[in-house]
């Protein structure tokens, strides 16, 4: 008889177990509170969109569209795609909802899963999460710098160390055609040493060769002409301003003249944020660097999707990669604040009073913990100690009959008896001290 095989999870997809949930919550809550400070509002767009949105927006020659997109045909015959990135969906929503009429720029954040059919490896999954930011409706260089600063601040607030921003400008429709020509000529003369994908890229979009992770291609790329030497005046001035703003706000960055990013819609600024811990060390085998966050300016995307042109800049952090770095850098944080009060009880009547008391504390916004299921006082005191409670309130049978409670200061061990109806007042007084 055929052996029954268990259904496995899909390659490149992972479960987020309870132990890891706290990391996801930590990343998202730090990022959320920071971006709300900078004036971003949340937007959710569907996970399924018309596949054409990405072939038009992300670019039909990109790896994302050519190789990595999960597409499906619905029963009604529509060709849809699981979102491989946030930006085109948000740009579509911007146009759908007439956000041109909102105060500009419109600052939006989103978070959630993305899907890319990539070769699974460390830090590269087929389903992963991003925390994404877009600033749409303004082309000022200051916004590029501010966006990078926000990503840098999120990573720093998460207590990640050794961060560095890599930045470049890839020009625009005025200067890029000439640069592309230069690149094509350079790569054509070295085509025999490029990987098969790159030989195709030279024909379709030579900029993409700069982004290739193959070691043999990277060697050729290191000698290739650089965009910043061929920017038009407008792109040059814009890039200079971005760097000056970054200097002003003291975000550490390094110019990477070959940084291009894998998406077609970028114009001018592109950036990635890395942790220096991940960099190649002397004598180590070549390993592609793992970016924690990435993004850039995309002034042409809205027009590409049928809207009016509008300046825009955006980017995203990769949540799983951040979590993996938090673990390797052994980042610690106070997960839940210690309870201010622990309610210990003995007997059914005391449990009843304890339940009622707990609600009073909840309404007074005082953090309280209990272990009503336990009957041993010793166990309950141990628990109060372990949780780091400031005070333990002891409701024994005698106290319940007398209408009193014992307050034990967990630091000094000093105990006082107070009237049950005065206990809230007394706890508040002590917590204020
Ligand atoms: P991108 O959307 O390609 O600009 O990527 C932005 C960030 O998302 C990257 O810097 C990574 O941190 C993360 N990321 C991209 N692709 C993956 C993947 N396949 N698995 C995990 N994280 C990813």
């Amino acid at each position: 008889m055929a052996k029954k095989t268990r259904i496995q999870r899909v390659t490149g997809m992972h479960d987020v177990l309870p132990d890891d949930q706290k990391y996801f919550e930590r990343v998202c809550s730090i990022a959320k509170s920071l971006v709300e400070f900078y004036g971003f509002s949340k937007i959710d767009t569907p996970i399924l969109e018309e596949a054409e949105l990405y072939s038009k927006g992300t670019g039909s020659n990109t790896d994302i569209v050519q190789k990595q997109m999960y597409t499906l045909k619905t029963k009604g015959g529509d060709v849809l795609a699981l979102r491989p990135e946030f930006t085109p969906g948000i740009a579509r929503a911007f146009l759908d909802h007439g956000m041109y009429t909102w105060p500009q720029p419109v600052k939006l954040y989103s978070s959630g899963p993305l899907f890319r059919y990539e070769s699974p490896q460390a830090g590269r999954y087929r389903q992963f999460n991003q925390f994404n930011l877009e600033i749409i409706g303004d082309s000022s260089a200051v916004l590029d710098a501010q966006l990078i600063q926000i990503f840098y601040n999120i990573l720093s607030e998460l207590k990640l160390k050794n961060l560095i921003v890599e930045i470049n400008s890839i020009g625009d429709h005025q200067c890029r055609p000439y640069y592309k020509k230069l690149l094509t000529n350079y790569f054509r003369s070295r085509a025999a040493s490029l990987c098969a994908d790159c030989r195709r890229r030279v024909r379709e979009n030579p900029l993409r060769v700069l982004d290739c992770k193959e070691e043999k291609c990277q060697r050729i790329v290191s000698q290739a002409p650089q965009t910043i030497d061929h920017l038009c005046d407008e792109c040059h001035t814009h890039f200079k301003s971005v760097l000056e703003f970054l200097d002003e706000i003291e975000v550490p960055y390094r110019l990477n003249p070959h940084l291009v990013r894998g998406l077609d819609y970028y114009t001018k600024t592109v950036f990635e944020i890395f942790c220096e811990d991940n960099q190649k060390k002397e004598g180590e085998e070549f390993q592609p660097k793992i970016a924690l966050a990435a993004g850039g300016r995309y002034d042409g995307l809205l027009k590409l999707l049928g809207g009016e042109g509008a300046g825009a800049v955006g980017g995203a952090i990769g949540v799983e990669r951040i979590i993996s770095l938090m673990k390797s850098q052994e980042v610690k944080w106070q997960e839940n604040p210690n309870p201010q009060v622990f309610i210990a009880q003995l007997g059914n009547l005391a449990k009843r009073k304890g339940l009622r008391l707990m609600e009073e504390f909840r309404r007074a916004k005082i953090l309280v913990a209990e272990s009503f299921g336990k009957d041993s006082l010793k166990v309950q005191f141990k628990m109060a100690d372990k949780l780091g409670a400031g005070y333990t309130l002891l409701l024994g049978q005698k106290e319940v009959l007398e209408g009193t409670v014992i307050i034990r200061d967990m630091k000094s061990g000093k105990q006082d008896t107070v009237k049950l109806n005065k206990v809230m007042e007394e706890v508040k007084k002590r917590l204020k001290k």
Side-chain angles (χ1 to χ4, degrees), residues 85 116 118 123-125 128 130 261 263 266 291-294 316-318 321:
E85 57 145 343
R116 292 184 195 170
E118 299 207 65
R124 199 167 290 281
Y125 307 107
F128 59 98
Q130 284 187 346
R261 315 285 298 97
L263 315 168
Y266 284 124
L292 302 170
I317 54 175
R321 292 193 188 173

Side-chain angles (χ1 to χ4, degrees), residues 14-25:
H14 54 275
D15 303 309
V16 183
L17 299 180
D19 267 0
D20 268 358
Q21 293 289 347
K22 58 176 187 265
Y23 284 94
F24 275 84
E25 276 159 25

Side-chain angles (χ1 to χ4, degrees), residues 20 23-25 27 160 318-328:
D20 268 358
Y23 284 94
F24 275 84
E25 276 159 25
V27 173
L160 294 173
V319 178
E320 283 80 0
R321 292 193 188 173
I322 305 292
I323 290 176
S324 144
L325 190 62
M326 285 168 80
K327 288 180 181 172
S328 72

Side-chain angles (χ1 to χ4, degrees), residues 171-215:
D172 64 4
H173 65 283
Q174 292 186 64
C175 47
R176 208 177 317 157
Y178 173 69
Y179 175 66
K180 269 187 169 176
K181 231 181 236 166
L182 278 182
L183 263 190
T184 307
N185 291 341
Y186 171 81
F187 287 132
R188 272 209 185 126
S189 64
R190 289 156 183 84
S193 314
L194 294 171
C195 72
D197 269 347
C198 281
R199 286 201 292 275
R200 175 183 49 80
R201 286 174 184 141
V202 174
R203 288 192 305 275
E204 292 170 355
N205 182 359
L207 277 173
R208 298 295 329 286
V209 179
L210 300 177
D211 202 29
C212 180
K213 305 284 183 283
E214 293 276 332
E215 187 178 8

